[in-house]
C-alpha cells in the first residue's frame, strides 16, 4: 500500500476512533449547561459539582434568546440543563417545548410545591424576595404591598420601571391576590406617590433614599446583600448603609408571605445526558450548593436550614407567599397591560 492511500485510511480510522471515544466520554461523564446567568456567579457551584461527581460541565453562556437557540437546535441540541432567572423566562421555556418532565425525590423533597412545576418541567433553585427599602431612621415595623398606594407616602416612593419583569411579577401577584380592579387602583395610587419617574435599577432606590429624594421603595433583597457587604467608603456601601429592609406581605393573603421571584432550571427536552442533568439539578439544591448560592449573589436558598450571609440573615427568616408561581405567571400579560394603562412609567 502506498503512503497516499495509507494516510487517508489511518486518518479515517483515527477520526472514527476519536468520535467513538468522545461519544462515550459524553455519555459517561459530561453534562452541558445553557445558562443566562452570569458565569462568575455560577462557576463556583459547577466546580463543586465536578469535584464531587467527576462529571464535567460544559457551560454555554447565552445572554439573550435562550429559547430561540434551543428551539433552533431542535433534537440535535447538546443542551442538557437550561438555567435562567425569572419565572416568566422559565415558563417560556416550558411553553416553548424545550424542557422535559423529570422525576427526582431530592428535588421534590427540597423544593416546596409552589416553587416548581407540578409536571417536573421546571424547578426553582434560589429565591429573590421583593422587599421594601426604608430610610434607616424611619419608624416602620411592618408593611403590606398595598400600603405603597397609601396617600401618606405621597412624593416619598421610588421604584424602577413598572414594565421590568421584577415589577410585572409583583403586579401579577397582586392581581392573583386582590383582583385586577384593585390592582389597577393600586398602580394609580403608587404612581401618584412617586418621588421621581419609575426608572433606573433596584439599587437606585437605595441611592435615592440616601440622596433624600424618597423614603421608601420596592426592590430585590439580594442587592442589599451586595451593597451592605461592599467595601467601606464605596458608593454601594453608602447606599446600603442608608437603608433597612422590611419584607412586605399581601393584605388579602390569609397565610401571609412575601413575593418572591426565582432563579431556576429545567432538563432540556432532548438532553443527551439526562441522567447527569438530573444529578446536576439534585446537586444544585444540596446544602453545599445552596450555601454557595446564598453567598455568591445573596439570593435566598430554596432549601430550608441553609446558613445565610449575615446581612441577609439580619432580615429574618423569609416567609414565602404560598401562591404557586405558575398562578402568578398567568397574570403577567395582564399586569403589563395595567402598567401601560395607568401610564406608570410616563
Ligand atoms: Fe437583578
Amino acid at each position: 500500500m502506498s503512503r497516499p492511500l495509507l494516510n487517508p485510511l489511518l486518518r479515517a480510522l483515527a477520526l472514527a476512533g476519536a468520535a467513538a471515544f468522545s461519544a462515550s466520554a459524553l455519555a459517561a461523564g459530561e453534562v452541558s449547561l445553557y445558562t443566562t446567568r452570569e458565569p462568575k456567579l455560577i462557576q463556583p457551584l459547577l466546580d463543586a459539582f465536578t469535584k464531587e461527581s467527576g462529571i464535567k460541565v460544559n457551560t454555554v453562556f447565552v445572554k439573550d434568546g435562550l429559547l430561540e437557540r434551543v428551539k433552533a437546535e431542535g433534537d440535535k441540541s447538546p443542551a442538557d440543563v437550561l438555567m435562567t432567572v425569572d419565572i416568566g423566562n422559565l415558563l417560556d421555556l416550558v411553553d416553548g417545548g424545550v424542557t422535559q418532565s423529570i422525576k427526582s425525590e431530592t428535588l421534590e423533597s427540597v423544593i416546596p410545591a409552589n416553587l416548581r412545576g407540578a409536571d417536573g418541567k421546571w424547578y426553582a433553585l434560589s429565591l429573590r424576595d421583593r422587599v421594601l427599602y426604608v430610610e434607616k431612621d424611619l419608624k416602620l415595623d411592618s408593611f403590606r404591598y398595598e400600603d405603597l398606594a397609601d396617600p401618606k407616602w405621597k412624593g416619598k416612593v421610588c421604584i424602577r420601571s413598572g414594565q421590568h419583569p421584577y415589577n410585572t411579577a409583583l403586579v401579577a401577584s397582586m392581581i392573583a391576590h386582590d383582583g385586577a380592579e384593585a390592582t389597577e387602583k393600586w398602580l394609580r395610587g403608587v404612581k401618584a406617590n412617586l418621588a421621581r419617574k419609575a426608572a433606573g435599577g433596584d439599587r437606585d432606590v437605595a441611592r435615592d433614599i440616601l440622596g433624600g429624594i424618597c423614603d421608601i421603595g420596592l426592590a430585590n433583597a439580594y442587592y442589599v446583600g451586595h451593597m451592605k457587604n461592599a467595601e467601606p467608603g464605596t458608593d454601594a456601601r453608602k447606599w446600603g448603609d442608608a437603608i433597612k429592609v422590611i419584607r412586605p406581605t399581601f393584605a388579602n393573603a390569609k397565610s401571609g408571605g412575601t413575593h418572591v421571584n426565582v432563579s431556576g432550571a429545567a432538563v432540556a427536552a432532548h438532553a443527551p445526558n439526562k441522567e447527569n442533568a438530573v444529578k446536576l439539578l439534585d446537586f444544585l439544591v444540596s446544602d453545599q450548593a445552596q450555601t454557595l448560592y446564598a453567598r455568591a449573589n445573596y439570593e435566598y436558598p430554596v432549601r430550608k436550614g441553609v446558613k445565610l450571609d449575615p446581612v441577609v440573615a439580619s432580615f429574618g427568616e423569609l416567609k414565602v407567599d404560598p401562591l404557586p408561581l405558575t398562578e402568578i405567571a398567568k397574570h403577567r400579560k395582564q399586569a403589563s397591560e395595567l402598567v401601560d394603562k395607568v401610564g406608570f412609567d410616563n
Side-chain angles (χ1 to χ4, degrees):
M1 220 181 266
S2 69
R3 285 186 83 85
L5 259 178
L6 180 65
N7 276 346
L9 184 65
L10 276 178
R11 203 176 302 127
L13 281 172
L15 280 174
F21 176 76
S22 66
S24 70
L26 215 68
E30 297 194 346
V31 66
S32 294
L33 170 71
Y34 281 21
T35 174
T36 67
R37 304 218 67 183
E38 247 182 89
K40 75 170 196 303
L41 286 180
I42 55 159
Q43 199 53 49
L45 289 152
L46 304 176
D47 291 344
F49 171 68
T50 300
K51 201 169 163 212
E52 194 190 271
S53 67
I55 297 168
K56 183 177 169 251
V57 185
N58 310 309
T59 310
V60 180
F61 176 54
V62 185
K63 195 168 183 292
D64 296 303
L66 176 62
L67 172 62
E68 291 70 23
R69 172 159 177 174
V70 181
K71 252 187 175 169
E73 289 173 348
D75 58 7
K76 301 279 186 300
S77 176
D80 294 305
V81 174
L82 309 175
M83 180 187 266
T84 190
V85 296
D86 180 55
I87 180 61
N89 290 330
L90 272 169
L91 290 177
D92 284 346
L93 296 175
V94 174
D95 295 341
V98 298
T99 77
Q100 66 171 296
S101 187
I102 55 150
K103 262 199 101 55
S104 153
E105 272 172 35
T106 303
L107 296 175
E108 276 170 34
S109 66
V110 172
I111 307 172
N114 58 319
L115 301 174
R116 54 181 158 85
D119 50 10
K121 286 185 174 173
W122 64 272
Y123 294 89
L125 298 174
S126 66
L127 311 178
R128 318 173 110 203
D129 40 324
R130 197 127 185 93
V131 301
L132 191 76
Y133 292 6
V134 184
E135 199 282 323
K136 68 179 188 338
D137 297 322
L138 200 73
K139 281 205 167 38
L140 191 65
D141 296 321
S142 67
F143 197 82
R144 300 167 309 175
Y145 290 107
E146 287 83 351
D147 296 338
L148 206 64
D150 188 326
K152 83 174 201 196
W153 298 111
K154 195 164 183 60
K156 304 212 179 299
V157 175
C158 282
I159 194 166
R160 78 190 309 165
S161 161
Q163 290 297 2
H164 189 277
Y166 296 164
N167 280 336
T168 46
L170 175 76
V171 174
S173 278
M174 189 163 284
I175 294 172
H177 281 298
D178 300 346
E181 214 175 299
T183 302
E184 182 181 334
K185 213 172 145 215
W186 178 77
L187 278 168
R188 290 189 195 281
V190 177
K191 161 95 179 149
N193 284 344
L194 292 182
R196 56 149 166 84
K197 207 171 145 76
D202 277 0
R203 264 176 276 231
D204 296 338
V205 174
R207 181 197 67 191
D208 290 348
I209 287 174
L210 176 66
I213 295 168
C214 39
D215 284 346
I216 58 171
L218 290 180
N220 283 353
Y222 64 88
Y223 290 114
V224 185
H226 284 285
M227 292 188 290
K228 284 188 185 281
N229 280 308
E231 285 299 316
T234 58
D235 281 347
R237 179 61 177 266
K238 287 175 195 159
W239 304 343
D241 286 345
I243 62 161
K244 58 185 175 183
V245 164
I246 293 179
R247 287 210 180 94
T249 55
F250 288 97
N252 278 347
K254 284 175 274 243
S255 44
T258 297
H259 169 72
V260 300
N261 208 320
V262 297
S263 85
V267 174
H270 303 289
N273 305 290
K274 183 177 170 182
E275 228 174 274
N276 288 348
V278 177
K279 278 185 194 157
L280 176 57
L281 290 193
D282 283 352
F283 176 79
L284 290 174
V285 299
S286 67
D287 197 73
Q288 185 192 2
Q290 288 283 303
T291 304
L292 288 169
Y293 258 113
R295 297 282 159 126
N297 198 32
Y298 306 103
E299 291 175 24
Y300 206 88
V302 74
R303 185 188 186 97
K304 282 221 169 351
V306 170
K307 199 165 163 22
L308 301 170
D309 166 83
V311 167
V312 177
S314 73
F315 310 155
E317 198 188 333
L318 170 62
K319 198 170 173 217
V320 177
D321 180 11
L323 198 69
L325 285 178
T326 39
E327 191 56 45
I328 295 171
K330 279 183 200 156
H331 300 287
R332 269 190 302 154
K333 190 164 169 279
Q334 194 180 14
S336 169
E337 285 163 4
L338 282 185
V339 168
D340 262 356
K341 187 178 174 191
V342 308
F344 195 84
D345 291 350
N346 299 346

